[in-house]
Amino acid sequence: MHKTPVITSQTTNEKTGKNVYMKLENHQKTGAFKYRGASYKLSKLSTEELAAGVVTASAGNHAQGVALAAKSKGAKATIFMPEGTPSAKVEATKGYGADVKIVGQSFQEAFTASLEHKKLTGATYVHPFDDYDIMAGQGSIGIEMLEEIPHLDTIIVPIGGGGLICGIAVAAKMIKPSIKVIGVQAANAPSMFKSYYSKDDHVILDSCSTIAEGIAVKQPGQLTQQVVRDYVDEIYCVSESQIAYAMVYLLERTKSLVEGAGATALAALLAFNDKIDSEHTGVIVSGGNLDLGRMSEIQELSLKSNHQTLTREKITVL
């Protein structure tokens, strides 16, 4: 496991009026934070469970994390990925030795197919987010940040199914109870946002098409929903153009190539800066596995960003 770097940007500090610390999980093994949770989960499996192989569903980053963790343990990994997953993520997952199966148009369809595979084969299921061991592994990010920057007062975290923010929120608040944890979702995929503010345990989106495909989850986890309600202070949503702007901004200002999901936390800080009461702000840059063929589309989309905030009422009707 890499202890990933934390960087600051004078331009970003001046732009926001805050001291901003960006945790670069795009520098983690496999290019995203997911290896943390996957490796911790597999480290707790018995010899018999490893021998039966592991299976999961993923839009890409969890797939690579599980594939590499399984390879290091000598276990067979079968990964179900939805259509539209960036080819770079598919090829990287295969490169780590996993058997990749492309099924369905969304994560939910790939997830359903992976559960059928588990029933048929007896493989151990490694859920991408709704598992306490997965959450615990991701929580190591919060520990590392507070070890390095103990004066942090806020951490902003992307949310898909919720595993990353749950781990970080629990770990950070056990160390520093006063710290605020803010979640961010794509406005086109606001499943946890809706669950959080409506207190509805059964939110299922009809669709969730976004350039932040790593957090495009139609239904949040049952375990993660409760942890989010207990430990997360608020959740914001960002538009497609705001995400694209943050991606281009990170590339230009910090020379960091970041995927859509990885840019959402910074996108929220830039869009909601006046609403976030913080002096020392941590931003989780969760991954960098970007399909380079989409860069021209992202650049064009970023030009449409005006940083107008999205209200809860607007998100509710999306």
Side-chain angles (χ1 to χ4, degrees), residues 14-28:
E14 292 174 357
K15 191 178 184 72
T16 62
K18 298 172 172 60
N19 296 306
V20 181
Y21 306 88
M22 291 178 274
K23 178 73 163 167
L24 300 184
E25 283 296 294
N26 56 319
H27 288 212
Q28 186 54 263

Side-chain angles (χ1 to χ4, degrees), residues 14-267:
E14 292 174 357
K15 191 178 184 72
T16 62
K18 298 172 172 60
N19 296 306
V20 181
Y21 306 88
M22 291 178 274
K23 178 73 163 167
L24 300 184
E25 283 296 294
N26 56 319
H27 288 212
Q28 186 54 263
K29 289 183 178 180
T30 73
F33 74 94
K34 290 286 193 176
Y35 182 64
R36 294 176 182 266
S39 61
Y40 182 65
K41 175 67 176 180
L42 266 68
S43 75
K44 300 191 75 177
L45 298 183
S46 67
T47 302
E48 291 75 20
E49 287 172 319
L50 289 170
V54 295
V55 60
T56 193
S58 170
N61 288 334
H62 178 65
Q64 293 175 70
V66 171
L68 181 57
K71 183 178 181 180
S72 71
K73 290 287 187 180
K76 178 184 178 182
T78 303
I79 316 289
F80 287 78
M81 306 177 84
E83 297 171 12
T85 299
S87 59
K89 293 183 179 182
V90 174
E91 292 307 312
T93 303
K94 290 179 179 178
Y96 291 125
D99 180 15
V100 174
K101 299 183 183 299
I102 306 297
V103 178
Q105 295 184 344
S106 69
F107 165 78
Q108 206 61 39
E109 291 167 290
F111 175 61
T112 300
S114 69
L115 292 179
E116 286 300 315
H117 179 86
K118 170 183 163 54
K119 290 179 184 177
L120 291 172
T121 64
T124 299
Y125 202 86
V126 184
H127 199 283
F129 49 81
D130 212 26
D131 181 303
Y132 290 126
D133 289 333
I134 293 292
M135 297 179 215
Q138 323 301 23
S140 58
I141 296 172
I143 296 170
E144 287 179 14
M145 287 200 81
L146 284 172
E147 284 177 344
E148 189 166 345
I149 314 151
H151 50 280
L152 275 182
D153 57 54
T154 303
I155 304 178
I156 306 176
V157 188
I159 303 178
L164 174 63
I165 197 169
C166 287
I168 289 176
V170 171
K173 292 196 174 188
M174 289 295 288
I175 297 168
K176 188 175 184 178
S178 63
I179 199 166
K180 289 192 300 183
V181 179
I182 297 173
V184 186
Q185 290 209 287
N188 283 3
S191 56
M192 187 69 81
F193 178 95
K194 290 190 173 185
S195 166
Y196 183 82
Y197 287 110
S198 69
K199 295 182 171 55
D200 181 356
D201 292 334
H202 306 289
V203 170
I204 303 178
L205 303 178
D206 292 330
S207 64
C208 53
S209 177
T210 170
I211 59 171
E213 76 282 337
I215 55 172
V217 177
K218 285 186 176 181
Q219 183 176 16
Q222 290 302 303
L223 300 179
T224 57
Q225 283 183 96
Q226 190 56 55
V227 177
V228 166
R229 288 173 193 161
D230 291 343
Y231 287 89
V232 174
D233 295 279
E234 54 188 330
I235 300 175
Y236 293 122
C237 285
V238 286
S239 69
E240 296 295 285
S241 60
Q242 288 166 345
I243 295 169
Y245 177 84
M247 294 169 73
V248 173
Y249 180 92
L250 282 164
L251 185 59
E252 291 179 342
R253 299 296 179 178
T254 71
K255 311 309 175 190
S256 291
L257 183 66
V258 177
E259 62 187 276
T264 53
L266 180 63

